[in-house]
Amino acid sequence: MCLGHQLTGLALGGKTFKLKFGHHGGNHPVQQTETGKVEITSQNHNYAVDAASLNKDEVKITHINLNDQTVQGLRHKSLPLFSVQYHPEASPGPQDSHYLFRDFRKMMEEWKK
């Protein structure tokens, strides 16, 4: 989450850049790329992962900020790894992002097998 998302992007060979205004507050619309579902998120950061710098063979972009089209989520295609730029635990939606915790638990249980 948040800074961890940026570090994950860097660890996967991507780059980050400074946002002109940053994302702050509990009202940022983020869209899931697979389903089209929009979540209202809480955010507090000034940097974003550069989508063009990610290796599309290894990394899938899972969430996009609808205000400025920046990367808000990514998932590694073969490793048990995903991240989001926002704070799903803050519940601004109020439960829009709770599925992420279920997905994380399921991923850990499957990887453990």
Side-chain angles (χ1 to χ4, degrees):
M1 292 182 249
C2 208
L3 178 59
H5 169 77
Q6 294 170 31
L7 294 173
T8 298
L10 291 170
L12 294 174
K15 297 179 181 176
T16 59
F17 64 94
K18 186 167 177 43
L19 295 164
K20 186 172 182 178
F21 298 108
H23 296 163
H24 305 283
N27 60 352
H28 289 266
V30 170
Q31 187 172 40
Q32 296 177 28
T33 58
E34 272 190 26
T35 65
K37 180 183 173 193
V38 176
E39 304 169 32
I40 302 303
T41 66
S42 176
Q43 302 195 17
N44 187 26
H45 59 271
N46 292 310
Y47 289 83
V49 174
D50 178 8
S53 70
L54 296 170
N55 181 340
K56 303 298 188 251
D57 294 330
E58 294 180 2
V59 180
K60 175 182 169 104
I61 295 171
T62 60
H63 297 78
I64 299 292
N65 186 300
L66 293 178
N67 289 332
D68 61 9
Q69 305 305 302
T70 55
V71 175
Q72 293 290 298
L74 55 87
R75 178 180 297 273
H76 195 277
K77 292 183 177 181
S78 61
L79 298 174
L81 173 66
F82 71 88
S83 63
V84 291
Q85 179 65 76
Y86 51 95
H87 292 275
E89 80 285 0
S91 300
Q95 297 181 1
D96 291 1
S97 303
H98 284 190
Y99 69 93
L100 291 168
F101 297 102
R102 288 189 302 272
D103 289 355
F104 178 75
R105 182 181 175 122
K106 181 180 176 187
M107 183 178 65
M108 291 297 101
E109 288 171 352
E110 289 174 359
W111 186 257
K112 192 168 107 174
K113 292 178 185 176

